[in-house]
Amino acid sequence: MDLGNIKKIAGTDAKNAGSVDFAFAFSDFCHDLNPDKEYVVFPGFCDVHVHFREPGFSYKETIKAGALSAARGGYTAVCTMPNLNPVQDCVSSIAIQRQIIEKDACIAVYPYAAITKGERGEELSDMEELAALSVAFSDDGKGVQSEDMMRLAMIKAKSLGKIVAAHCEVNELLKGGYIHDGTYANMHGHKGISSESEYKEIERDLCIAKETGAAFHVCHISAAESVELIRKAKADGVNVTCETAPHYLVLDDSDLKESGDFKMNPPLRGKKDRLALIQGLVDGTIDMIATDHAPHAKEEKSKGLAGSAFGIVGLETAFSVLYSELVKGGVISLEKLVDLMAVNPRKRFNIPYDGFSVWDLNAAYKVDPDGFLSKGRSTPFAGRRVFGENQLTVYGGKTVYKKLKQ
């Protein structure tokens, strides 16, 4: 068939992906494409914040399943967080994960190393030995509570040319909370997590980043105050970037239901927070969108808001949800979304372009968790009607995902 109906996304720095030969993979696939439809080619998306749970928690997710779910979502590169068993805090522990990645991953998987040993916040990990084996340093899942420890970490990371990516959370402000301390929590008798627990540690770490000159990245921001602090820090010359996740941009605590599918950390916050995050996307304060893909077993997510584990899956729904709500909703352009999902993450974390995906942006469907390739099924977007369906993902010259014929 004539490939004229396959159009590369233009108008972004994604032209750097032009070294990829878009045509070579179509010889095995073009007979499945409908010549009456128009398809769009995107550079492979890059998610700098995922949890693939292996080694240690393979009942929740495996590197193989996580990578397949990423490929289905149009991702060709992801960065895996180190809160595993063993924690990725030394060469021997990260070697275990890298062996599994080499054997089972169908896309590029870049491991993080922990900032502190055991993510306990008491002693730095073997940062010098880990630098060449990891994409960056993070204790994600836990905030580094000691200011002195974070300062030492940033000084060491700067000397190694690495980024510190922080889960910012003040433990003493959590007070047993598990959803946002807002209207829904007050109306339904739930324990709330204050926005202050997030932004106070961001404020502290931004000061340390300014002092040390370290490259600092803030994980999964959710609060309006966090956006403003980062905006001001950037204007002040601090070497900082940040991410937010699709659920914080599309949902707020007015959308909560009594289901573990709506429980994540940080929590869905108020409408003003969601609008502040969107403004942060528009004005460039927020550099990228990451899913914080965090699978759990069904029984771990079936205990309601109070009893369920924190975390939802997101790799297979991210683009479609964001395209439907933000692009078709007129909030940002398609080119901007590609920058946030593919271009900016690669720039900041020095991750090369490595593939592409082909999408039918007019295809509409309902999100069905039972059909996910991830082992996780928990998503607040179940049953949501979205637009944009991936037809093909190519990584390293190989087809790693192809939509099955209906």
Side-chain angles (χ1 to χ4, degrees), residues 3-21:
L3 297 181
N5 65 334
I6 300 175
K7 299 183 179 180
K8 195 178 103 177
I9 184 67
T12 76
D13 197 38
K15 63 186 179 183
N16 291 332
S19 60
V20 176
D21 183 354

Side-chain angles (χ1 to χ4, degrees), residues 14 46 56 104 143 157 162 165 248 256 296 312 392:
C46 176
D104 289 345
K162 305 297 285 188
Y248 303 125
L256 284 172
H296 292 286
I312 60 172
L392 171 75

